[in-house]
Amino acid sequence: YLALIGNALIVFGPIVSIFNFYLCNIPQLVIVFVAAAFFYLLSTCLTSAFYFIPGIVNLPYLLVSIGVSIQEIFRFALFLAYLFTERGYERNLKVKLLYGKFAWLHASVAAGLGFATCHALLLNGNVLSQSYGPGTLYLPNCPTITYFTHHSIMTLLFVLLNISWMIIGFQGYIKKSVLRIISLLVLHFAASLITVLNNKKDSCLYVLPTLASLVVIGAIISTVELIIICNKDE
Amino acid sequence: MSNQEEERLLNGGDSQINSDLQDNAIKEEDSDSEAVETINYDPTLDSDNDESEEGITTRYSENIISLLKPVSIAMIIVIWAVHTLSPILNSSGVPVSSAVMVYTESESDSGWLKLGGALLNALIVVAMVCVITVILVLLFVYNCYKIIYGWLITSSAVLLFTMGWLWLEFTLRAYSLTIDYFSYFFLLYNFTILGVVSIFWQAPTIFTQAYLIVVSCMTGWWLTRLPEWTTWAILAAVAIYDVIAVLTPKGPLKLLVETAEKRKVPIPGLIYESKKFKLGLGDFVFYSVLVGRASMFDSVTMFACFVCILTGLCLTLFCLGIFKKALPALPISIALGLIFYFVTRFGVTPYITNNSIQQINV
């Protein structure tokens, strides 16, 4: 029980906290959250179609690249859906979906959390359910922590990454900033491709620290975006 | 924004539709319950004085979330029940069969036989629902309220007592808890009476809502015991029936709604009311059945169906604001749920399993 609870808290603790203390205060964000989760599900379904191409399983870098590309396309599609909805509200109902100069920031955090939650549920849900019961599993590439804890930590890092990627993405799409979009793609490709090395010997020593560094970079860029928004005149 | 524009925004329709949900899955005695399978928006419940533009979108979003929460709670409870109570029920040797099913699935049957049999079972269930809805409409039209409410109260009491018995017993067994017989029946009796009073008379809103969720969870859990192919066929058939019954001019539910509108009386039935929206209990039941059945296969399919149902419900509620009339709540959610169940089962699960083994994150 304890291992299951601990691993679940590692992954879902931040998600539940952000949802409960931030999203729930602005009801519109909960709907954005649900929509984002659905878009992530769509992207995963489409990516899984490529999985069945004969031989592609032996080309993990290609499969991961395809997955990242599809996910980025759906991130942009989510942004367009949000923009379309917001403009529909303004045109037909003469109201905005969200108010204030942080409206886009709120929406991007909610969308990022939606992506992150669906990612965590799909990728970690199965693994978590297997962690319950007697016994555990260690892998040679990371013999100091259990497979389930390693998987949970990696999922946690991707949860945080997804939130920062969505902030960067939304700001990039709104401002049509090539620099932001390129940095988003670089971060996402780097994070996902580094996980392919997880089955190598002693991968624990460089994969998790690299992911943590990318989380810090993503957080710094997101903070810079927040500062830019704060300094912007309304 | 002018008052007229605000009213246009907030007035999503003032009609409600009932349909009957008959629970005949396994038990020998019939247990009928009424359920509304549509969603309705009641602007008269709006007492918020905040007329700012920001207040309007916030209020509408709050109303949507006020339905998402109970639906999510109901689905989570059924998932718990499927994984905790069903194994105990299965081990007790109660056969999975139904008085209304003409075809009983068997492992050795071919795919085509299972499909044909499941469609036949689904047709019979929908026909039964249709007949009971027509009877309800006739009773309502001819002002037979005593018969309607007597029927509703009896079926709800029987459901709460029998299912409550099962749930309490299996929960005690699942967690190795003990209780004496006197306390057991004292709890069960009070649970049933409180439920009937809360739903049909007066009680704090939280009690009414909680009991409506409990009723839908119990019914949904019971229906997850149906054979797999039959379950999917029934879900699809009931979603199609919901569209026909609510949207066609002579649909029984549409007639019920119009009659209620003319008389300016509420439609009798098990309806979950939250702020401005009213959702029929039948919707809770079938959402829970879909997610419960998906959870029997894998957690990936379960989460996918969970997300799809919430998305479908949000889409339905948006359509409600656009079309401003009662809409069937099942079709979009059930369609998305069914599609994504099969896509995740046969496509996404192998891909995700491979990624989990390789420890790859995308």
Side-chain angles (χ1 to χ4, degrees), chain B residues 102-289:
Chain B
V102 296
Y103 166 72
T104 309
E105 275 177 42
S106 169
E107 289 291 327
S108 55
D109 290 341
S110 69
W112 286 113
L113 181 61
K114 283 183 186 174
L115 180 64
L119 288 174
L120 194 58
N121 286 341
L123 201 62
I124 291 169
V125 167
V126 168
M128 259 179 12
V129 169
C130 190
V131 163
I132 293 172
T133 308
V134 167
I135 293 171
L136 179 69
V137 170
L138 290 173
L139 288 173
F140 187 61
V141 164
Y142 290 106
N143 295 318
C144 303
Y145 291 107
K146 285 185 182 169
I147 298 176
I148 292 172
Y149 280 104
W151 179 5
L152 285 175
I153 290 170
T154 308
S155 58
S156 299
V158 168
L159 182 80
L160 283 170
F161 188 82
T162 52
M163 288 293 180
W165 185 329
L166 282 180
W167 275 41
L168 188 54
E169 182 184 338
F170 292 156
T171 306
L172 292 170
R173 276 208 245 168
Y175 296 106
S176 303
L177 301 169
T178 54
I179 189 172
D180 58 285
Y181 276 115
F182 177 77
S183 303
Y184 186 92
F185 285 106
F186 180 80
L187 274 172
L188 198 52
Y189 173 77
N190 280 281
F191 171 75
T192 306
I193 298 298
L194 183 60
V196 170
V197 166
S198 299
I199 295 172
F200 295 104
W201 195 34
Q202 48 187 353
T205 310
I206 188 82
F207 274 88
T208 309
Q209 291 176 339
Y211 266 102
L212 287 170
I213 292 173
V214 163
V215 165
S216 64
C217 290
M218 287 174 169
T219 313
W221 169 69
W222 198 245
L223 291 177
T224 59
R225 296 207 72 223
L226 289 171
E228 188 182 0
W229 289 62
T230 300
T231 306
W232 301 126
I234 287 175
L235 283 169
V238 169
I240 294 168
Y241 164 76
D242 203 18
V243 176
I244 295 169
V246 173
L247 296 179
T248 54
K250 295 294 175 193
L253 299 182
K254 194 172 174 73
L255 291 174
L256 197 64
V257 169
E258 285 170 357
T259 310
E261 275 178 4
K262 268 187 228 164
R263 295 181 191 173
K264 293 188 181 8
V265 294
I267 300 174
L270 296 175
I271 302 161
Y272 183 96
E273 286 189 37
S274 88
K275 297 187 179 178
K276 286 203 195 104
F277 289 122
K278 296 176 187 178
L279 184 64
L281 230 55
D283 300 314
F284 282 85
V285 169
F286 289 111
Y287 293 160
S288 306
V289 169

Side-chain angles (χ1 to χ4, degrees), chain A residues 131-152:
Chain A
S131 72
Y132 172 66
T136 188
L137 178 66
Y138 287 87
L139 293 180
N141 59 307
C142 201
T144 49
I145 53 176
T146 66
Y147 162 74
F148 305 109
T149 306
H150 178 261
H151 204 274
S152 298

Side-chain angles (χ1 to χ4, degrees), chain A residues 132-205:
Chain A
Y132 172 66
T136 188
L137 178 66
Y138 287 87
L139 293 180
N141 59 307
C142 201
T144 49
I145 53 176
T146 66
Y147 162 74
F148 305 109
T149 306
H150 178 261
H151 204 274
S152 298
I153 292 172
M154 225 173 37
T155 309
L156 165 67
L157 293 172
F158 267 83
V159 162
L160 300 172
L161 281 168
N162 266 301
I163 296 172
S164 59
W165 290 338
M166 197 64 80
I167 294 173
I168 299 167
F170 268 41
Q171 291 302 310
Y173 303 141
I174 295 165
K175 294 171 181 165
K176 298 186 175 106
S177 164
V178 175
L179 179 64
R180 287 177 172 89
I181 294 169
I182 288 175
S183 60
L184 163 66
L185 291 171
V186 166
L187 283 173
H188 197 167
F189 271 98
S192 296
L193 290 171
I194 197 87
T195 60
V196 178
L197 299 172
N198 257 327
N199 55 6
K200 302 275 187 274
K201 193 174 180 299
D202 296 330
S203 61
C204 236
L205 296 173

Side-chain angles (χ1 to χ4, degrees), chain A residues 51 56-57 60 63, chain B residues 348-360:
Chain A
Y51 174 73
I56 204 167
V57 179
L63 191 57
Chain B
V348 177
T349 301
Y351 164 68
I352 294 228
T353 306
N354 175 67
N355 279 2
S356 297
I357 293 168
Q358 306 289 334
Q359 299 178 75
I360 293 172

